[in-house]
Amino acid sequence: MANPTTNYGFVLPTATDLVTDLPADFDVALQGVDTRLKALQPGTTLGDLAYSSATANTNTRLAIGSTGNVLTVSGGVPTWSAPAGGGKLLQLVNNTYATNFATSSTSYVDTGMSTTITPTSATSKIFVIYNGNHRVSTAGGAVNLRIMRGATQIKLYNAQLYTGTNPERGEVTLTWLDSPATTSATTYKIQMCNDVANSIEAQLNNEASVLTLMEIGA
Amino acid sequence: MNNSEIVKALADIRPNAEWALTGDTLEGLDWLDTKQKKPTSEEINAAIANPLPVVEPTVEQKLASVGLSVADLKVALGL
């Protein structure tokens, strides 16, 4: 056997060592073995795994994941993560808002209807469904609506309701499939404006609007 | 006081002004217009107490809203 050993460099006693030196020699050799074994088996907890690190002969501890996690690769190393949904519904968040809102603004303003979701994966898609009761009261007016993700417009719907001379009211339903690419809490909201500076309304007569968010696995 | 009454009052005393109103009280009024001054609570309450009459659209306006004119109507009726 080579001395030091070929792979891990353990220093062994030699044929010329004095017998009285053997305890100290074995102490050095076995301490080297002990240190190396710990570097190769860094686990400390039931279920821990070890994988090769960038440092030779040294493994990295991967603590056990959570129930249901699967082993994936991120940044070139293994990591535990929630399983991909594969097109399945991962979660649904539903919110209602029933406070009458009116505006004469020709620039988009919040209607008060918002819902927040925290995606479980950055690759998930969010299916947005909005239903609300709206009215436009004056000639030439129009209820223009848009879906916002935070401060970003993700879908614009022009003139969902339009009036010539008589007030128009009705249920409006909007849908959109969004890709927020985040696992942070994300707020979607509805904004509206008029074409002319006259009143348009949402949550008419305090009837509830509904904004539903569905996380769809990638 | 409710949302519709406030909306009508705002239209009466500040026509074509831009604002947003949440709920049924003046606390929910967000004044957006930069050309017209925000009315006081007293002005709005007075306008609610004495609303201007609603102007009904004329026949011509009603026809125009569906893309027709009086002449179109006469032709359709054989007049």
Short mmCIF file of all heavy atoms in Angstrom, two decimals, chain A residues 123-172:
data_model
loop_
_atom_site.label_atom_id
_atom_site.label_comp_id
_atom_site.label_asym_id
_atom_site.label_seq_id
_atom_site.Cartn_x
_atom_site.Cartn_y
_atom_site.Cartn_z
N THR A 123 -42.71 28.79 -11.76
CA THR A 123 -43.12 28.39 -13.10
C THR A 123 -44.64 28.24 -13.22
O THR A 123 -45.15 27.97 -14.32
CB THR A 123 -42.46 27.05 -13.49
OG1 THR A 123 -42.86 26.05 -12.55
CG2 THR A 123 -40.95 27.18 -13.50
N SER A 124 -45.35 28.41 -12.14
CA SER A 124 -46.81 28.27 -12.17
C SER A 124 -47.45 29.40 -12.98
O SER A 124 -46.90 30.49 -13.10
CB SER A 124 -47.38 28.30 -10.76
OG SER A 124 -46.99 27.18 -10.03
N LYS A 125 -48.63 29.12 -13.50
CA LYS A 125 -49.44 30.16 -14.12
C LYS A 125 -50.60 30.48 -13.18
O LYS A 125 -51.03 29.63 -12.40
CB LYS A 125 -49.95 29.71 -15.48
CG LYS A 125 -48.83 29.50 -16.51
CD LYS A 125 -49.39 29.17 -17.87
CE LYS A 125 -48.26 28.90 -18.87
NZ LYS A 125 -47.35 30.04 -19.04
N ILE A 126 -51.08 31.71 -13.29
CA ILE A 126 -52.22 32.14 -12.48
C ILE A 126 -53.38 32.45 -13.41
O ILE A 126 -53.27 33.32 -14.28
CB ILE A 126 -51.87 33.39 -11.63
CG1 ILE A 126 -50.65 33.13 -10.75
CG2 ILE A 126 -53.08 33.79 -10.79
CD1 ILE A 126 -50.83 32.03 -9.72
N PHE A 127 -54.46 31.70 -13.24
CA PHE A 127 -55.67 31.94 -14.03
C PHE A 127 -56.55 32.90 -13.25
O PHE A 127 -56.96 32.61 -12.12
CB PHE A 127 -56.39 30.62 -14.31
CG PHE A 127 -57.51 30.75 -15.31
CD1 PHE A 127 -57.28 31.32 -16.55
CD2 PHE A 127 -58.78 30.31 -15.01
CE1 PHE A 127 -58.30 31.45 -17.48
CE2 PHE A 127 -59.81 30.43 -15.92
CZ PHE A 127 -59.56 31.00 -17.17
N VAL A 128 -56.83 34.05 -13.86
CA VAL A 128 -57.57 35.13 -13.19
C VAL A 128 -59.00 35.15 -13.73
O VAL A 128 -59.20 35.16 -14.95
CB VAL A 128 -56.89 36.49 -13.46
CG1 VAL A 128 -57.60 37.60 -12.70
CG2 VAL A 128 -55.41 36.44 -13.09
N ILE A 129 -59.95 35.15 -12.83
CA ILE A 129 -61.36 35.27 -13.21
C ILE A 129 -61.99 36.39 -12.40
O ILE A 129 -61.93 36.37 -11.17
CB ILE A 129 -62.15 33.96 -12.95
CG1 ILE A 129 -61.48 32.78 -13.65
CG2 ILE A 129 -63.59 34.11 -13.42
CD1 ILE A 129 -62.12 31.45 -13.28
N TYR A 130 -62.56 37.35 -13.12
CA TYR A 130 -63.25 38.46 -12.44
C TYR A 130 -64.70 38.51 -12.89
O TYR A 130 -64.99 38.33 -14.08
CB TYR A 130 -62.57 39.79 -12.78
CG TYR A 130 -63.40 40.99 -12.36
CD1 TYR A 130 -63.51 41.34 -11.02
CD2 TYR A 130 -64.08 41.75 -13.30
CE1 TYR A 130 -64.27 42.43 -10.62
CE2 TYR A 130 -64.85 42.84 -12.91
CZ TYR A 130 -64.94 43.17 -11.58
OH TYR A 130 -65.71 44.24 -11.19
N ASN A 131 -65.58 38.72 -11.93
CA ASN A 131 -66.98 38.98 -12.26
C ASN A 131 -67.47 40.14 -11.41
O ASN A 131 -67.27 40.16 -10.19
CB ASN A 131 -67.84 37.74 -12.01
CG ASN A 131 -69.30 38.02 -12.33
OD1 ASN A 131 -70.09 38.31 -11.44
ND2 ASN A 131 -69.66 37.96 -13.60
N GLY A 132 -68.08 41.13 -12.07
CA GLY A 132 -68.56 42.28 -11.33
C GLY A 132 -69.75 42.92 -12.00
O GLY A 132 -69.99 42.73 -13.20
N ASN A 133 -70.49 43.67 -11.21
CA ASN A 133 -71.70 44.34 -11.67
C ASN A 133 -71.35 45.81 -11.90
O ASN A 133 -70.94 46.51 -10.98
CB ASN A 133 -72.77 44.20 -10.58
CG ASN A 133 -74.13 44.59 -11.07
OD1 ASN A 133 -74.32 44.90 -12.24
ND2 ASN A 133 -75.09 44.59 -10.17
N HIS A 134 -71.50 46.28 -13.13
CA HIS A 134 -71.07 47.64 -13.49
C HIS A 134 -72.22 48.43 -14.11
O HIS A 134 -73.18 47.85 -14.64
CB HIS A 134 -69.91 47.58 -14.48
CG HIS A 134 -68.64 47.05 -13.88
ND1 HIS A 134 -67.67 47.86 -13.36
CD2 HIS A 134 -68.20 45.78 -13.71
CE1 HIS A 134 -66.68 47.12 -12.90
NE2 HIS A 134 -66.98 45.85 -13.10
N ARG A 135 -72.04 49.76 -14.09
CA ARG A 135 -73.02 50.63 -14.75
C ARG A 135 -72.30 51.84 -15.34
O ARG A 135 -71.35 52.36 -14.75
CB ARG A 135 -74.08 51.11 -13.77
CG ARG A 135 -75.10 52.08 -14.42
CD ARG A 135 -76.32 52.28 -13.56
NE ARG A 135 -76.02 52.95 -12.30
CZ ARG A 135 -76.92 53.12 -11.33
NH1 ARG A 135 -78.15 52.66 -11.47
NH2 ARG A 135 -76.58 53.73 -10.21
N VAL A 136 -72.77 52.25 -16.51
CA VAL A 136 -72.33 53.50 -17.11
C VAL A 136 -73.58 54.35 -17.31
O VAL A 136 -74.60 53.86 -17.81
CB VAL A 136 -71.56 53.26 -18.43
CG1 VAL A 136 -72.35 52.41 -19.41
CG2 VAL A 136 -71.17 54.59 -19.07
N SER A 137 -73.50 55.61 -16.89
CA SER A 137 -74.73 56.38 -16.74
C SER A 137 -74.99 57.39 -17.84
O SER A 137 -76.14 57.74 -18.09
CB SER A 137 -74.72 57.12 -15.40
OG SER A 137 -74.61 56.20 -14.35
N THR A 138 -73.97 57.89 -18.47
CA THR A 138 -74.20 59.04 -19.35
C THR A 138 -73.73 58.79 -20.77
O THR A 138 -72.91 57.90 -21.03
CB THR A 138 -73.46 60.27 -18.81
OG1 THR A 138 -72.12 59.89 -18.55
CG2 THR A 138 -74.10 60.77 -17.55
N ALA A 139 -74.28 59.60 -21.67
CA ALA A 139 -74.03 59.42 -23.11
C ALA A 139 -72.54 59.45 -23.42
O ALA A 139 -71.81 60.29 -22.91
CB ALA A 139 -74.75 60.51 -23.89
N GLY A 140 -72.15 58.54 -24.26
CA GLY A 140 -70.76 58.50 -24.69
C GLY A 140 -69.82 57.86 -23.69
O GLY A 140 -68.62 57.77 -23.92
N GLY A 141 -70.38 57.40 -22.58
CA GLY A 141 -69.54 56.80 -21.56
C GLY A 141 -69.26 55.34 -21.83
O GLY A 141 -69.99 54.67 -22.57
N ALA A 142 -68.19 54.84 -21.21
CA ALA A 142 -67.84 53.42 -21.37
C ALA A 142 -67.10 52.95 -20.14
O ALA A 142 -66.28 53.68 -19.58
CB ALA A 142 -66.97 53.21 -22.61
N VAL A 143 -67.42 51.75 -19.72
CA VAL A 143 -66.67 51.12 -18.62
C VAL A 143 -65.48 50.39 -19.24
O VAL A 143 -65.64 49.36 -19.89
CB VAL A 143 -67.55 50.13 -17.83
CG1 VAL A 143 -66.72 49.41 -16.77
CG2 VAL A 143 -68.71 50.87 -17.18
N ASN A 144 -64.29 50.98 -19.09
CA ASN A 144 -63.06 50.33 -19.53
C ASN A 144 -62.42 49.68 -18.30
O ASN A 144 -62.27 50.32 -17.26
CB ASN A 144 -62.10 51.36 -20.13
CG ASN A 144 -62.72 52.11 -21.28
OD1 ASN A 144 -63.18 51.51 -22.24
ND2 ASN A 144 -62.75 53.43 -21.18
N LEU A 145 -62.06 48.43 -18.44
CA LEU A 145 -61.52 47.68 -17.30
C LEU A 145 -60.14 47.13 -17.63
O LEU A 145 -59.81 46.91 -18.80
CB LEU A 145 -62.45 46.52 -16.96
CG LEU A 145 -63.83 46.90 -16.42
CD1 LEU A 145 -64.78 45.74 -16.53
CD2 LEU A 145 -63.73 47.37 -14.97
N ARG A 146 -59.35 46.94 -16.60
CA ARG A 146 -58.09 46.25 -16.80
C ARG A 146 -57.71 45.47 -15.55
O ARG A 146 -58.08 45.84 -14.44
CB ARG A 146 -56.97 47.20 -17.19
CG ARG A 146 -56.54 48.19 -16.14
CD ARG A 146 -55.41 49.07 -16.69
NE ARG A 146 -54.90 50.00 -15.71
CZ ARG A 146 -53.90 50.85 -15.93
NH1 ARG A 146 -53.32 50.90 -17.11
NH2 ARG A 146 -53.47 51.66 -14.98
N ILE A 147 -57.00 44.36 -15.78
CA ILE A 147 -56.49 43.53 -14.68
C ILE A 147 -55.04 43.93 -14.44
O ILE A 147 -54.24 44.01 -15.38
CB ILE A 147 -56.56 42.03 -15.02
CG1 ILE A 147 -58.02 41.62 -15.32
CG2 ILE A 147 -56.00 41.19 -13.88
CD1 ILE A 147 -58.15 40.18 -15.82
N MET A 148 -54.74 44.19 -13.18
CA MET A 148 -53.38 44.59 -12.80
C MET A 148 -52.74 43.50 -11.95
O MET A 148 -53.41 42.85 -11.14
CB MET A 148 -53.41 45.89 -11.99
CG MET A 148 -54.10 47.05 -12.67
SD MET A 148 -53.15 47.69 -14.04
CE MET A 148 -51.76 48.44 -13.18
N ARG A 149 -51.45 43.28 -12.16
CA ARG A 149 -50.64 42.50 -11.22
C ARG A 149 -49.70 43.49 -10.55
O ARG A 149 -48.78 43.99 -11.16
CB ARG A 149 -49.84 41.41 -11.91
CG ARG A 149 -49.04 40.57 -10.94
CD ARG A 149 -47.88 39.76 -11.51
NE ARG A 149 -48.02 39.34 -12.86
CZ ARG A 149 -47.18 39.75 -13.82
NH1 ARG A 149 -46.23 40.61 -13.56
NH2 ARG A 149 -47.33 39.33 -15.05
N GLY A 150 -49.99 43.84 -9.31
CA GLY A 150 -49.26 44.93 -8.68
C GLY A 150 -49.50 46.20 -9.46
O GLY A 150 -50.65 46.58 -9.68
N ALA A 151 -48.43 46.84 -9.91
CA ALA A 151 -48.57 48.07 -10.68
C ALA A 151 -48.49 47.82 -12.18
O ALA A 151 -48.42 48.75 -12.97
CB ALA A 151 -47.49 49.06 -10.26
N THR A 152 -48.51 46.54 -12.57
CA THR A 152 -48.35 46.19 -13.98
C THR A 152 -49.67 45.78 -14.60
O THR A 152 -50.36 44.90 -14.07
CB THR A 152 -47.34 45.02 -14.13
OG1 THR A 152 -46.10 45.42 -13.56
CG2 THR A 152 -47.14 44.65 -15.59
N GLN A 153 -50.03 46.42 -15.70
CA GLN A 153 -51.23 46.01 -16.43
C GLN A 153 -50.95 44.71 -17.16
O GLN A 153 -49.99 44.59 -17.91
CB GLN A 153 -51.62 47.07 -17.45
CG GLN A 153 -52.74 46.65 -18.39
CD GLN A 153 -53.00 47.67 -19.48
OE1 GLN A 153 -53.29 48.81 -19.19
NE2 GLN A 153 -52.87 47.26 -20.74
N ILE A 154 -51.81 43.69 -16.91
CA ILE A 154 -51.60 42.43 -17.62
C ILE A 154 -52.66 42.19 -18.68
O ILE A 154 -52.46 41.40 -19.60
CB ILE A 154 -51.54 41.23 -16.65
CG1 ILE A 154 -52.84 41.08 -15.86
CG2 ILE A 154 -50.35 41.35 -15.73
CD1 ILE A 154 -52.91 39.78 -15.10
N LYS A 155 -53.82 42.86 -18.58
CA LYS A 155 -54.82 42.72 -19.63
C LYS A 155 -55.78 43.91 -19.59
O LYS A 155 -56.29 44.26 -18.54
CB LYS A 155 -55.60 41.40 -19.45
CG LYS A 155 -56.68 41.17 -20.49
CD LYS A 155 -56.15 41.13 -21.91
CE LYS A 155 -57.27 40.88 -22.91
NZ LYS A 155 -56.81 41.06 -24.30
N LEU A 156 -56.01 44.48 -20.78
CA LEU A 156 -56.90 45.64 -20.92
C LEU A 156 -58.17 45.21 -21.66
O LEU A 156 -58.11 44.45 -22.63
CB LEU A 156 -56.18 46.72 -21.73
CG LEU A 156 -56.97 47.98 -22.10
CD1 LEU A 156 -57.34 48.76 -20.86
CD2 LEU A 156 -56.15 48.84 -23.05
N TYR A 157 -59.31 45.65 -21.16
CA TYR A 157 -60.59 45.35 -21.79
C TYR A 157 -61.31 46.67 -22.01
O TYR A 157 -61.84 47.27 -21.08
CB TYR A 157 -61.45 44.46 -20.89
CG TYR A 157 -60.81 43.14 -20.53
CD1 TYR A 157 -59.93 43.06 -19.47
CD2 TYR A 157 -61.10 41.98 -21.25
CE1 TYR A 157 -59.34 41.85 -19.13
CE2 TYR A 157 -60.51 40.78 -20.91
CZ TYR A 157 -59.63 40.72 -19.85
OH TYR A 157 -59.05 39.53 -19.51
N ASN A 158 -61.32 47.14 -23.26
CA ASN A 158 -61.96 48.43 -23.57
C ASN A 158 -63.46 48.27 -23.71
O ASN A 158 -63.95 47.29 -24.29
CB ASN A 158 -61.40 49.00 -24.86
CG ASN A 158 -60.09 49.73 -24.63
OD1 ASN A 158 -59.93 50.41 -23.63
ND2 ASN A 158 -59.15 49.57 -25.54
N ALA A 159 -64.20 49.25 -23.18
CA ALA A 159 -65.63 49.39 -23.39
C ALA A 159 -66.40 48.09 -23.14
O ALA A 159 -67.10 47.57 -24.01
CB ALA A 159 -65.91 49.89 -24.81
N GLN A 160 -66.26 47.57 -21.93
CA GLN A 160 -67.04 46.39 -21.56
C GLN A 160 -68.52 46.73 -21.50
O GLN A 160 -69.37 45.88 -21.73
CB GLN A 160 -66.55 45.85 -20.22
CG GLN A 160 -65.20 45.16 -20.31
CD GLN A 160 -65.23 43.96 -21.22
OE1 GLN A 160 -65.94 43.00 -20.96
NE2 GLN A 160 -64.47 44.00 -22.30
N LEU A 161 -68.81 47.96 -21.11
CA LEU A 161 -70.18 48.48 -21.20
C LEU A 161 -70.08 49.83 -21.89
O LEU A 161 -69.15 50.60 -21.65
CB LEU A 161 -70.80 48.66 -19.82
CG LEU A 161 -71.29 47.42 -19.07
CD1 LEU A 161 -71.81 47.83 -17.70
CD2 LEU A 161 -72.38 46.71 -19.86
N TYR A 162 -71.05 50.11 -22.76
CA TYR A 162 -71.03 51.37 -23.49
C TYR A 162 -72.44 51.89 -23.56
O TYR A 162 -73.40 51.12 -23.68
CB TYR A 162 -70.48 51.14 -24.91
CG TYR A 162 -70.48 52.39 -25.75
CD1 TYR A 162 -69.45 53.31 -25.64
CD2 TYR A 162 -71.53 52.65 -26.63
CE1 TYR A 162 -69.45 54.46 -26.41
CE2 TYR A 162 -71.53 53.80 -27.39
CZ TYR A 162 -70.49 54.70 -27.27
OH TYR A 162 -70.50 55.85 -28.02
N THR A 163 -72.60 53.21 -23.48
CA THR A 163 -73.94 53.75 -23.55
C THR A 163 -74.04 54.84 -24.61
O THR A 163 -73.12 55.62 -24.82
CB THR A 163 -74.38 54.33 -22.19
OG1 THR A 163 -75.71 54.80 -22.31
CG2 THR A 163 -73.49 55.46 -21.74
N GLY A 164 -75.20 54.83 -25.27
CA GLY A 164 -75.52 55.92 -26.18
C GLY A 164 -76.20 57.02 -25.40
O GLY A 164 -75.59 58.04 -25.07
N THR A 165 -77.45 56.82 -25.04
CA THR A 165 -78.16 57.83 -24.26
C THR A 165 -78.66 57.29 -22.93
O THR A 165 -78.67 58.01 -21.94
CB THR A 165 -79.37 58.36 -25.05
OG1 THR A 165 -80.18 57.25 -25.41
CG2 THR A 165 -78.91 59.11 -26.27
N ASN A 166 -79.07 56.05 -22.91
CA ASN A 166 -79.63 55.49 -21.68
C ASN A 166 -78.55 54.79 -20.86
O ASN A 166 -77.62 54.21 -21.42
CB ASN A 166 -80.73 54.49 -22.00
CG ASN A 166 -81.89 55.15 -22.73
OD1 ASN A 166 -82.33 56.23 -22.34
ND2 ASN A 166 -82.35 54.53 -23.79
N PRO A 167 -78.68 54.84 -19.54
CA PRO A 167 -77.71 54.11 -18.69
C PRO A 167 -77.71 52.62 -19.04
O PRO A 167 -78.75 52.04 -19.36
CB PRO A 167 -78.24 54.35 -17.27
CG PRO A 167 -79.05 55.59 -17.36
CD PRO A 167 -79.67 55.56 -18.73
N GLU A 168 -76.54 52.04 -18.97
CA GLU A 168 -76.40 50.61 -19.21
C GLU A 168 -75.78 49.98 -17.97
O GLU A 168 -74.86 50.54 -17.38
CB GLU A 168 -75.50 50.33 -20.42
CG GLU A 168 -76.06 50.79 -21.74
CD GLU A 168 -77.17 49.89 -22.25
OE1 GLU A 168 -77.32 48.78 -21.72
OE2 GLU A 168 -77.89 50.32 -23.18
N ARG A 169 -76.29 48.84 -17.58
CA ARG A 169 -75.69 48.10 -16.48
C ARG A 169 -75.63 46.63 -16.83
O ARG A 169 -76.41 46.15 -17.67
CB ARG A 169 -76.48 48.27 -15.18
CG ARG A 169 -77.90 47.77 -15.26
CD ARG A 169 -78.57 47.84 -13.91
NE ARG A 169 -77.99 46.89 -12.97
CZ ARG A 169 -78.38 46.77 -11.71
NH1 ARG A 169 -79.33 47.54 -11.22
NH2 ARG A 169 -77.84 45.87 -10.92
N GLY A 170 -74.71 45.94 -16.22
CA GLY A 170 -74.62 44.52 -16.52
C GLY A 170 -73.47 43.85 -15.80
O GLY A 170 -72.61 44.50 -15.21
N GLU A 171 -73.53 42.52 -15.84
CA GLU A 171 -72.47 41.71 -15.27
C GLU A 171 -71.32 41.61 -16.28
O GLU A 171 -71.54 41.35 -17.45
CB GLU A 171 -72.98 40.31 -14.96
CG GLU A 171 -74.04 40.25 -13.89
CD GLU A 171 -73.47 40.36 -12.49
OE1 GLU A 171 -72.27 40.06 -12.32
OE2 GLU A 171 -74.22 40.76 -11.58
N VAL A 172 -70.13 41.83 -15.81
CA VAL A 172 -68.95 41.74 -16.65
C VAL A 172 -68.06 40.63 -16.12
O VAL A 172 -67.80 40.57 -14.91
CB VAL A 172 -68.17 43.07 -16.66
CG1 VAL A 172 -66.85 42.91 -17.40
CG2 VAL A 172 -69.01 44.17 -17.30
#
